Amino acid sequence: MNSVARKIAGQSRPQLKLASSWSASLRGSIVRRPYATVKIDLPALDRKWRRTLKRSERSEEDASLLRVESRGTTLSTDHAQSADNRMYILSMFPYPSGNLHLGHLRVYTIADVVARFRRLQGYNVLLPMGWDAFGLPAENAAIEHGIDPAVWTRDNIARMKEQLESMNGSFDWSREFATCDPSFYKHTQKIFLLLYKNGLVSRKKATVNWDPVDNTVLANEQVDSEGRSWRSGAKIEQRELEQWFFHITNFKESLLRDLKKLGKDDAWPERVLALQRTWLGRTDGAYYEFPVNSKDEKFQTQKLKIYTTRPETIYAAQFIALSPHSPLVQQLAQEDAELRAFVERVKDLSPDTTEGYLIPQLKVTNPLAFTKDATEAHREPIPLYVAPYVRGDYETGAIMGVPAHDARDYAFWQTHNPDTPLKYAVAPTADASTLVDMRGPYLGEGYMTITAGQLQAMPSDVAAKHIVSQIKDASNLAEGITKWRIRDWLVSRQRYWGTPIPIIHCPACGPQPVPDDQLPVQLPKVHAHWENGRVGNPLESATDWVYTSCPKCHGHAKRDTDTMDTFVDSSWYYMRFPDPHNSEAPISEAAARRYLPVDIYVGGVEHAILHLLYARFVYKAVMGILYPRVGARNEESEHVTSLLEFSGEPFKRLITQGMVHGKTYTDPDSGRFLKPDEVGLSNPSQPKVVASGKIATVTFEKMSKSKHNGVDPTKFIAKYGSDATRAHILFQAPISEILNWDEWAISGITRWLRRVYNIVLNVQIPEKTSSAGFDAQIYFDTSQRTIPEMSKKEAAQWDADVEVWRTTQNTIASVTNALEKVYLLNTTVSSLMGLTNTLIDKPLSSDTVKYEATLRLIQMMAPITPAFAEECWSILKPNSGSVFAQGECSWPVPDGSLRLLESKGVDCAVKINGTLRFVASIPTKPADMADNSPEFQEWITEEILKTEVAQARMRTLNVDIRSAVKVFVVKGGAVVNYVMPKEKKEG
């Protein structure tokens, strides 16, 4: 009998010996209570297990110190571990503003949950944390409060670190740094000089974007579409200054090329890739020259040069428009009083005005007129207008008006020639049949129309090159050209709180790099500047710091008084975490080989352009120079012959989470935002305005002080506990979508945790457990053979066991799939709730199966609710150590027993708009498909439609469930409700 039990249990797994402090903390911690009176204090559990973890960490630190003393360094042992077993997970590090907000909590919860899951799978996970500490807010606060920005920053870091620790994160604080640490920005300066040495940095005079509020220069990327600063909101001024630039444009081809690699297998969101493509802005356009037609001899030899990004639309050109600032317009206005008055009047008109002035004495000729296939239509003179919507500072100050393919041109043409039909050069389809009903411009690519002659039906992007070539060969009036939107990265800032630029300016020798042994160039103390509340850059007046000697001729020289854009710090910080104490280099080759690139990077989509583009550039440049065979971590890197061929990327996978919106209450009469004490919440579903008693209007909006909808996550955690808060964050919305924060909805989470705790306290724990694990295949195979001999009671237990274990196995598969894909994290909680319900609904299942299923439930909950899982684990497996015990691969995996537990199918109750319409018999859900995932919703819909009853009812009801706007699947497919779109009323 004992031998059979051992076979059923399976082979034993080696156990890691834990520090005695851990097991000591567990003794006496098991409190058994009757089911009905069980209570659980989640905030108290947080405190208990944080204390236990700290004691364990101290024991590990003591052991680590002994290893360091015996071996001399920890770096070699760290790097000796297999790179195949490592995983580097990183969340975008925070700016230390002083307060953690829910956006922080969401991103760090996602990263921590994934890191804990991977550790349980046996990976050696690096999950570090640091601080993006330089920047204008600290300097502005220093001026306002009269304190050193370093003091303000350090105080904020201490406060935010305490807040972060309250969320039960598993961050590796031993690697912590702030970008304002001299030991960090020493290497920021080294990177600057590395790029400088390799011709990727230069100083030149340039017209720059000056922020008059923050008194500093901004990069083009930091100015919004309205010409305002991304931070202060001030209207930007143009100034000419000597500035430092990183030559990111040298890498434009590789930055665009390697987006294809990042798009494979959805490694990066398509939205981010599209934003990067747009910002890089490659366009294959052309310059055309339109000869001027005039009786006046002084204009007869002139040609109007225009630039277009749609060369193929020249067949549809119906006018040429000049900017009022065009030199030709200024020349004509000298002799045309009416034009002169028009130019003066339109100065104050909005850029989208459709006003215009027709120049009667001038027309132009389409360059197509000089090609061999030219028609009479191509030779017709084209009118010439002056149009304020044409910018004088863009290209040549003249545009080719194509109203059939440009919205602005169309609006202008409709104002001045509403009865003239449009000429379409491009159609959505090759036969141009779609143009019959076209009313307005067609803006997309497509196929050439009959107006293009021999090029008719050719794809428009292909035709563009043919057209330019034909015109160039015939008359030299066309020139194809590739342009890019991206410009070199301006990194100079005229502020104090940033990394000093490591350059010395010598009157005799010119700019000289600071010698390596003199790095870092540290910021000087300028207490008087802050105490007196002065504005401007204090480095310019710090004479003891500014005046120095030239490292080349040793004559009198001055330090550069600019500091670097803070985006320079965040462009490389991820390289530092693997090797944070290296004093010689930003990162060693050994650390780079082991950790880079980052496996999973988590952060907001708002950083899709600036931070991510700069990080990609710096990684390609720095790793391509220092360690070209390491940075890409693929075979391509072995054959790189040019820096610009280096294809390495810093982040293998990018996860972007949505924003968190707060519940916002407004007065239904005035629309005024209500403060918390102005809303009565005795019935949360019907909040009332205290003053009037009326039902308040409830919306979810971006959190702000003016809307009184902010939430302090530390207070929330103190009230509900970190674990409930973490589960609530994941459960409320898919990762990529906006999370509408509703405090009252957390009651469902806390109720679930209480139910799980009740299961744990009431499950029968084996008095003596075998060192071997539970072997479900042997257990169910053995029991299955005895089914004919079972009593009614035994058969009921068998059925319950099968249902519990089948649900357990399906849950393992779906939760694992969701955690691996990350974007499906919200489904993990619902899947775990489903397993919880099964354990409660099947009280007849055997003690063994209940216990084993409960163990796996707790293991799967552990990444999401770590403190709660530790408490439950200590009850289920007393004195066995942490559920996260290092060195163990303890994440549950499907055990192959499902083949013994297969059900014939599921009777699925199909509802349409909440009304039960029919019941369809469908197969059981595939094990590897996550509950409530889009993939599962599509699968169950198709399986339903395969049934005869569904096909008949669809015809009767005249509906197609594939067109549902929402699909709700309950209990793994037992019930599915399709919400159909509302029918439009006629008339």
Side-chain angles (χ1 to χ4, degrees), residues 1 6 88-89 102 152 206 212 245 345 359 462 548 565 644 688 705 743 856-857 888 930-931:
M1 185 71 181
R6 280 196 293 271
Y88 183 5
I89 298 173
L102 280 174
W152 185 85
F245 289 86
R345 181 171 61 81
I359 302 175
V462 177
T548 186
D565 180 6
L644 301 182
K688 293 184 178 180
K705 291 180 180 178
E743 177 175 353
R856 285 152 183 78
L857 171 63
E888 292 191 29
D931 290 341

Side-chain angles (χ1 to χ4, degrees), residues 647-658:
S647 64
E649 289 287 339
F651 313 116
K652 291 171 67 175
R653 190 169 177 213
L654 176 68
I655 303 297
T656 54
Q657 88 286 352

